[in-house]
Amino acid sequence: MQILETRVYRGPNLYALGPVIRLRVDLGELEAYPTNRLPGFNERLLELVPTLHEHSCSYGEPGGFVRRLREDEGTWMGHVLEHLAIELQCLAGTPVSYGKTRSEGLPAGQYHVIYSFAEEAVGTAAGELGLLAIRHLLPADRAAFDPAPFDFRARCEALVRLAQRRAFGPSTGALVRAAEERDIPWIRLNDRSLVQLGHGKFQRRIQATITSETRHTAVEIASDKRLTNQILADLGLPVPRQVRVYDAEEAVEEAAGLGCPVVVKPLDGNHGKGVSIGLRTAEQVRAAFDQAAAYSSTVIVETFQEGNDYRLLVVNGKLLAVAQRVPGHVVGDGNRTVAELVELVNQDPRRGVGHEKVLTRLELDDQARRLLAEAGLTPESVLPAGRVFYLRSTGNLSTGGTSIDKTDVIHYDNRIMAERGVRAIGLDVGGVDFISPDVARSHKEAGGAIVEINAAPGFRMHTAPTEGTPRDVAGPVIDMLFPQGTPYRIPIAAVTGTNGKTTTTRMVGHILKLSGHTVGMATSDGVYIDGVLTVKGDMTGPWASHLVLRDPTVDAAVLETARGGIVRTGLGWRKCSVGAVLNVASDHLGMGGVESLDDLARVKQVIVEVARDFCVLNADDPRVLRMARHSPARPIYVTMDPRNERVAAHVRHERGAAVSLEEGLSGRVIVLYQNGEQVPLLPARQVPATVEGYAVHNIQNAMFAAAIAHGMGIGVENIRQGLRTFTADFFQTPGRLNFYNEHPFRVLLDYAHNAHGMHAMARTVRGLAVHGRRIGVLAAPGDRRDEDIAALAAAAAPAFDLVLLREDDNRRGRPPGEVGELLRRGLTAAGFPEDHIAPAVYNEEQAVAKALDTARAGDLLVIFGDNLQRVWDQIVSFRAAAHPGDEAPVVAARGAHQGNAEDEALAAAAVAGDASPALNTSAAAVARPGAAGREEPSAAVASLSGASGRREPPAAPAAPDLPVWPPAALTRQQPAPSADPGDPGNLLDAAGWPAQPPPPDLAADDFDD
């Protein structure tokens, strides 16, 4: 039995909406041995971890897991490991409860063991320890049995110590839980106790019980015990007399002046460290000075106040809780030694290591031994029955003390005293250490003194007192940071789908920015804050979303969310305002356990499961449409088909929101439906990114952007203006329909890398009237399946007259040339002429250079790039040699071109090379949609340009006996131009775009909510 893979999901994922760990476990021979077929295993397991009796499992009541162990043949080892991993985390002080074990889609004997965690390192270690325990509990005749020595208790204590180092302490944990109860999101900012509450510009921070509202000067004052004493005394509050000392003899002298007994403590200590009380002799004072000096260079000697030790907690100027602190102690029984009494006390299940549990274990350390020695005792001494002996001089819980809640009995005068004291220091959260005979009596009558005021006071004594009523002290802190009505979330739009994510994300960000928002945007190009690129790269995973949500200037977030991040680690946030699924199409299948379109849809569905307000769904995609039933948010449907029955019912009968593409007097119009009203937004051709309506996929992206913006509360006029002013240039949407018009031919750069995206681009390319040839530079990611690469090529085949094949710099495990040859076979299988495909397979730089050399006036060169900046620099820096006819126009919108100039140009296609004749046509271009201005090449590219102004690409591999390419004549049939981009005749280049018929396995009720 072994763990094959450990995967940590830190946010909502395929298995749960909270953090979980997934272990892929191979049972080996134990697949044939459920628990009842392993003699003695159940008994040994429950003896080792008796708290497993409390697990309810599928029966919903304590003892349910034990029933599963014993009924019928028992349960399998994967299920046992799940429960052990959960219980071990609970025993370590990081309680969790969720888990499940599944074998679907895995080889026989393998299981996914899934369980929740509170602290990642503790969760993974618990899984490993659980496996180790199982192997030691197996019968010795089983192959997985581990005969090595195994100290389970020592291992558990190590797990507890790990939890102490990595998990939240009691105070931070209480504050985080209080935030969760109020639905306030939080992000852990380090591996200690620094936590961000809220998102973006509304965020606050805590570090233990220090908050972002805690004044630095107040903390400094509270840390200086002498200054604190002086400020309180000046206000007439009761404090002991004290002096600073710098050596042991000075301490003895000042103690004599103050009058014994005295207290010696460090000037700026905490948690009772270095504090000695009730000192009466010079020797005691000297020893106490040395102990205090270990924590501070300056030591305080003060008068000793007789009485009980109370902690008074004040938050936002109001007293919330009072606890009497009792130092760690033992009570004699006349039989046991002190050491044995300590062991007896530590058997209390409420005691643990550090902050593991509500009480901390007692220790016979140096301080305890000193107190014993002063009393003439040793750890082996037997105390008389009923005698109480204190092993600590202070009542701190962290040193084994206990607490008794006294909130309900504190005297009014003492309450006012505490509130005045904390306000005088300036703390928003402060702990008053008050020594008094009885906190129920006024300090004016019974006496008493404030000995300290603490910044960052611990909450454990109040939230989990040893005796008395637990007090909610964390909730008021959160309410102080976020008063009622104060926002703590920024609107978040999450965008996923197979294609169109980046363009849609940028469109939404553009609309929000025009509406006055400071937008944080995560895309496949990088993270942008208020339009400025802050981190470059593919930023579609959870880490990038944290970059956006942690930025203190951002007040709206648009997060492109890719499949990979969800599959690998889950989402980087718990909830979003609007979740959008654009489409589900074949890409990345066979990767990360995603084997089918249904699997892929399930991954993308996570987005809508965590949407709070609206889910924007493609109503033309059945798999996306049926996600509505799994979302708590209200759907906004997007459809290219105004006759979509589901959308019609949603709009008419449910008064729901939708965005539809409909015919108008001036062509197709994007229409918004809301509250039963029809609101035309704008004609599709008025969105520049649609290339006057020919880029149908960008019409759809614009519709999604409009729906998302509407769901985020943006007004109709701002949506219109945002779409009208969004352009698809390289610097706005790199690699998404970027035109360059400064050569005699026109160049289009795009990033389509799957069949679905290529269908969309093929339709766009065929929709543009071109006076020359349509030349494509094709590639496919090497980690896609062979059939996916072939499908991409088949989708591209109708669009081009000539094709060059290239490979990415990173071939993703493929040998050189393999991807190119798969593309070649896919093209020819789709009917593309073999001699119209360049015989070589180039790297990206070579392919771009060869294509630029091949293009002539009037051509349209479409490059599907990977390293987009490098390709764009090549395009911009290219200087074409003069050729006959280079003054010819480049491209016109369909319907603008008249006559047979295109056919004549095709018939005159020339042989490749600088000396080959070019196309010669004099037809005038009527429209050049999406024209971009000239950009200067980057310095890197400019430095590679020779005297001729042309960049010399790396030499292509030698390929003897290759035929001359491109061929001298082209015989491919061009479709007849159409004046209307909405003409159904244009659909034959991309059949079925954008709506796909429902797969046969989807029943009619899949379209219902």
Side-chain angles (χ1 to χ4, degrees):
M1 181 178 178
Q2 59 181 327
I3 296 173
L4 302 178
E5 178 192 47
T6 299
R7 184 162 288 182
V8 180
Y9 296 91
R10 301 175 183 88
N13 54 80
L14 282 167
Y15 307 103
L17 298 184
V20 296
I21 291 171
R22 190 194 76 184
L23 306 178
R24 185 172 179 176
V25 178
D26 188 347
L27 298 189
E29 68 160 357
L30 295 178
E31 172 66 6
Y33 291 90
T35 52
N36 272 349
R37 296 189 63 190
L38 297 167
F41 176 84
N42 292 339
E43 292 72 23
R44 290 190 293 272
L45 174 67
L46 296 173
E47 180 183 358
L48 186 71
V49 190
T51 46
L52 288 173
H53 281 282
E54 301 169 11
H55 286 216
S56 59
C57 200
S58 57
Y59 288 103
E61 59 184 15
F65 175 61
V66 175
R67 282 182 63 184
R68 292 289 304 275
L69 286 173
R70 294 171 174 167
E71 65 185 1
D72 301 325
E73 287 192 313
T75 190
W76 272 257
M77 285 299 127
H79 188 206
V80 174
L81 177 57
E82 170 203 326
H83 281 267
L84 273 174
I86 291 171
E87 184 58 27
L88 288 171
Q89 290 182 81
C90 295
L91 294 174
T94 56
V96 294
S97 59
Y98 173 80
K100 61 182 179 182
T101 301
R102 299 290 183 268
S103 61
E104 292 89 346
L106 296 175
Q110 292 188 17
Y111 294 82
H112 280 150
V113 176
I114 300 148
Y115 55 91
S116 54
F117 67 90
E119 162 52 45
E120 181 178 326
V122 177
T124 54
E128 294 166 359
L129 179 55
L131 175 62
L132 198 59
I134 289 173
R135 295 188 61 187
H136 279 83
L137 294 173
L138 290 171
D141 60 348
R142 297 273 61 87
F145 171 70
D146 188 345
F150 180 57
D151 188 338
F152 182 70
R153 181 173 180 178
R155 298 269 187 167
C156 284
E157 289 182 352
L159 188 65
V160 170
R161 289 192 293 272
L162 175 64
Q164 289 292 299
R165 294 194 303 271
R166 302 297 297 272
F168 287 139
S171 301
T172 307
L175 288 167
V176 168
R177 287 191 296 273
E180 289 177 334
E181 290 168 2
R182 290 157 176 78
D183 198 32
I184 297 173
W186 59 272
I187 300 172
R188 191 171 187 173
L189 301 180
N190 63 4
D191 58 2
R192 302 296 295 257
S193 57
L194 183 62
V195 179
Q196 174 183 314
L197 304 176
H199 287 156
K201 68 180 290 185
F202 302 126
Q203 66 180 271
R204 302 287 188 272
R205 291 181 181 176
I206 59 170
Q207 185 161 22
T209 58
I210 294 286
T211 78
S212 51
E213 306 306 304
T214 303
R215 295 185 178 93
H216 176 72
T217 53
V219 175
E220 290 292 304
I221 293 170
S223 298
D224 187 329
K225 294 176 173 40
R226 175 70 182 126
L227 180 57
T228 299
N229 181 276
Q230 176 185 330
I231 289 174
L232 298 179
D234 290 345
L235 291 176
L237 295 172
V239 293
R241 292 178 296 126
Q242 62 177 211
V243 292
R244 297 185 188 185
V245 297
Y246 298 94
D247 60 53
E249 294 308 316
E250 185 181 7
V252 171
E253 181 181 341
E254 293 294 348
L258 291 172
C260 292
V262 295
V263 174
V264 175
K265 60 186 179 183
L267 176 70
D268 50 4
N270 55 42
H271 297 296
K273 296 174 182 175
V275 178
S276 301
I277 66 173
L279 308 176
R280 298 180 182 275
T281 68
E283 290 75 14
Q284 289 176 334
V285 172
R286 290 190 184 94
F289 177 89
D290 292 339
Q291 185 177 352
Y295 296 95
S296 176
S297 59
T298 303
V299 175
I300 296 290
V301 178
E302 70 181 22
T303 56
F304 176 66
Q305 175 68 45
E306 296 281 355
N308 296 318
D309 182 2
Y310 297 99
R311 166 61 64 82
L312 285 59
L313 180 67
V314 177
V315 174
N316 200 25
K318 299 295 182 182
L319 181 80
L320 293 184
V322 179
Q324 179 181 344
R325 300 185 294 182
V326 181
H329 61 278
V330 293
V331 180
D333 62 2
N335 296 313
R336 294 181 177 87
T337 66
V338 171
E340 290 171 338
L341 291 172
V342 168
E343 285 297 315
L344 182 65
V345 169
N346 285 339
Q347 290 177 14
D348 185 340
R350 296 175 298 172
R351 290 189 182 270
V353 178
H355 296 303
E356 169 200 359
K357 297 183 179 179
V358 297
L359 296 175
T360 302
R361 291 180 183 179
L362 291 178
E363 292 185 13
L364 281 172
D365 57 6
D366 291 342
Q367 187 180 71
R369 293 176 185 276
R370 178 176 62 81
L371 292 173
L372 285 168
E374 290 174 357
L377 301 172
T378 71
E380 304 308 316
S381 300
V382 176
L383 298 178
R387 180 181 176 184
V388 177
F389 188 86
Y390 293 99
L391 298 171
R392 289 290 183 274
S393 55
T394 61
N396 296 81
L397 268 66
S398 58
T399 57
T402 57
S403 63
I404 305 169
D405 180 69
K406 295 288 184 178
T407 306
D408 293 334
V409 300
I410 186 172
H411 193 279
Y412 177 77
D413 289 345
N414 298 338
R415 176 187 296 271
I416 297 303
M417 172 202 70
E419 293 174 352
R420 287 187 64 209
V422 172
R423 280 199 291 263
I425 302 303
L427 292 169
D428 57 339
V429 180
V432 179
D433 288 346
F434 180 55
I435 306 297
S436 169
D438 187 357
V439 77
R441 299 171 60 196
S442 171
H443 67 88
K444 299 175 183 178
E445 299 176 0
I450 298 175
V451 296
E452 288 183 15
I453 292 185
N454 299 277
F459 284 177
R460 181 167 58 150
M461 68 187 76
H462 307 296
T463 59
T466 314
E467 300 178 29
T469 305
R471 304 290 172 173
D472 176 19
V473 295
V477 175
I478 302 300
D479 294 337
M480 174 189 70
L481 294 175
F482 298 98
Q484 187 172 7
T486 301
Y488 44 80
R489 291 182 182 273
I490 61 174
I492 299 173
V495 183
T496 192
T498 303
N499 291 303
K501 298 185 296 293
T502 300
T503 300
T504 302
T505 296
R506 286 179 170 273
M507 284 180 170
V508 175
H510 182 70
I511 294 169
L512 291 173
K513 184 173 177 61
L514 288 184
S515 301
H517 286 282
T518 300
V519 182
M521 190 166 59
T523 74
S524 56
D525 312 315
V527 170
Y528 295 79
I529 304 297
D530 200 24
V532 177
L533 178 64
T534 59
V535 182
K536 189 175 182 180
D538 187 347
M539 295 288 149
T540 57
W543 181 75
S545 63
H546 279 194
L547 293 183
V548 172
L549 299 177
R550 288 173 58 173
D551 192 285
T553 66
V554 168
D555 62 15
V558 190
L559 307 175
E560 179 182 347
T561 307
R563 165 212 59 88
I566 302 174
V567 168
R568 286 189 295 271
T569 59
L571 299 175
W573 30 269
R574 300 292 179 87
K575 296 179 181 179
C576 60
S577 309
V578 179
V581 182
L582 311 188
N583 42 61
V584 176
S586 181
D587 196 16
H588 296 98
L589 299 184
M591 301 168 61
V594 179
E595 303 297 331
S596 67
L597 286 177
D598 288 334
D599 290 344
L600 187 58
R602 180 66 190 89
V603 171
K604 296 184 181 300
Q605 182 178 292
V606 175
I607 293 290
V608 303
E609 291 176 349
V610 298
R612 299 168 62 242
D613 300 328
F614 293 96
C615 57
V616 175
L617 302 174
N618 185 345
D620 299 328
D621 187 323
R623 289 184 175 85
V624 177
L625 180 63
R626 66 182 179 183
M627 293 179 188
R629 70 183 68 174
H630 300 284
S631 177
R634 291 169 288 170
I636 302 177
Y637 292 124
V638 175
T639 180
M640 305 283 281
D641 179 7
R643 297 163 297 182
N644 187 301
E645 294 181 2
R646 181 66 194 90
V647 176
H650 177 67
V651 169
R652 293 172 188 167
H653 305 307
E654 302 164 21
R655 298 179 65 83
V659 177
S660 176
L661 186 65
E662 302 183 4
E663 288 299 327
L665 295 176
S666 59
R668 293 174 294 180
V669 178
I670 299 174
V671 177
L672 170 67
Y673 289 90
Q674 56 177 349
N675 300 321
E677 297 181 1
Q678 181 185 37
V679 183
L681 291 177
L682 74 169
R685 65 174 64 227
Q686 288 186 9
V687 180
T690 69
V691 194
E692 298 206 9
Y694 291 103
V696 178
H697 60 292
N698 268 356
I699 296 176
Q700 192 176 43
N701 291 336
M703 294 167 66
F704 279 115
I708 294 168
H710 173 70
M712 298 182 79
I714 304 301
V716 168
E717 193 51 48
N718 283 339
I719 295 174
R720 287 191 185 113
Q721 185 64 12
L723 294 179
R724 284 195 190 106
T725 56
F726 182 86
T727 58
D729 61 71
F730 181 80
F731 301 101
Q732 177 111 304
T733 54
R736 275 74 182 177
L737 209 66
N738 308 142
F739 283 97
Y740 188 78
N741 300 311
E742 301 303 317
H743 298 316
F745 48 88
R746 196 175 191 192
V747 184
L748 170 56
L749 173 63
D750 199 82
Y751 185 61
H753 56 281
N754 55 52
H756 186 261
M758 189 60 71
H759 272 300
M761 284 303 300
R763 175 171 183 167
T764 300
V765 169
R766 298 311 306 177
L768 297 170
V770 177
H771 303 296
R773 303 164 297 179
R774 293 175 175 85
I775 305 171
V777 178
L778 300 186
D783 57 359
R784 303 310 197 264
R785 301 176 305 176
D786 290 1
E787 57 265 39
D788 295 329
I789 296 174
L792 182 149
F800 299 106
D801 304 305
L802 299 173
V803 169
L804 294 89
L805 304 176
R806 68 163 190 84
E807 293 182 325
D808 293 343
D809 297 346
N810 179 2
R811 295 191 299 274
R812 307 190 190 192
R814 298 271 188 176
E818 183 177 4
V819 169
E821 293 309 316
L822 288 170
L823 288 168
R824 189 186 307 276
R825 290 201 291 269
L827 286 167
T828 55
F832 196 87
E834 173 74 30
D835 62 344
H836 289 202
I837 307 171
V841 176
Y842 304 94
N843 66 36
E844 186 169 70
E845 286 188 87
Q846 294 167 346
V848 173
K850 176 66 174 176
L852 290 167
D853 280 337
T854 301
R856 298 292 177 261
D859 288 351
L860 173 64
L861 171 58
V862 183
I863 300 173
F864 296 98
D866 181 49
N867 188 328
L868 300 175
Q869 185 63 58
R870 182 179 67 196
V871 173
W872 188 254
D873 286 344
Q874 278 188 268
I875 294 168
V876 172
S877 63
F878 177 74
R879 296 294 179 264
H883 293 282
D886 275 359
E887 72 282 359
V890 179
V891 65
R894 280 216 149 165
H897 179 67
Q898 305 294 327
N900 296 321
E902 185 174 14
D903 293 338
E904 294 170 3
L906 290 172
V911 178
D914 289 345
S916 61
L919 299 173
N920 190 356
T921 177
S922 60
V926 176
R928 297 173 66 188
R934 180 183 298 273
E935 292 87 4
E936 291 300 321
S938 69
V941 171
S943 68
L944 294 174
S945 300
S948 66
R950 304 184 68 170
R951 182 178 181 180
E952 294 299 330
D961 302 324
L962 289 179
V964 175
W965 192 90
L970 300 178
T971 58
R972 299 201 75 208
Q973 294 296 316
Q974 302 285 350
S978 168
D980 180 9
D983 188 336
N986 284 345
L987 298 177
L988 56 87
D989 290 324
W993 172 268
Q996 300 291 332
D1001 60 327
L1002 297 180
D1005 63 355
D1006 290 326
F1007 294 86
D1008 298 333
D1009 286 334

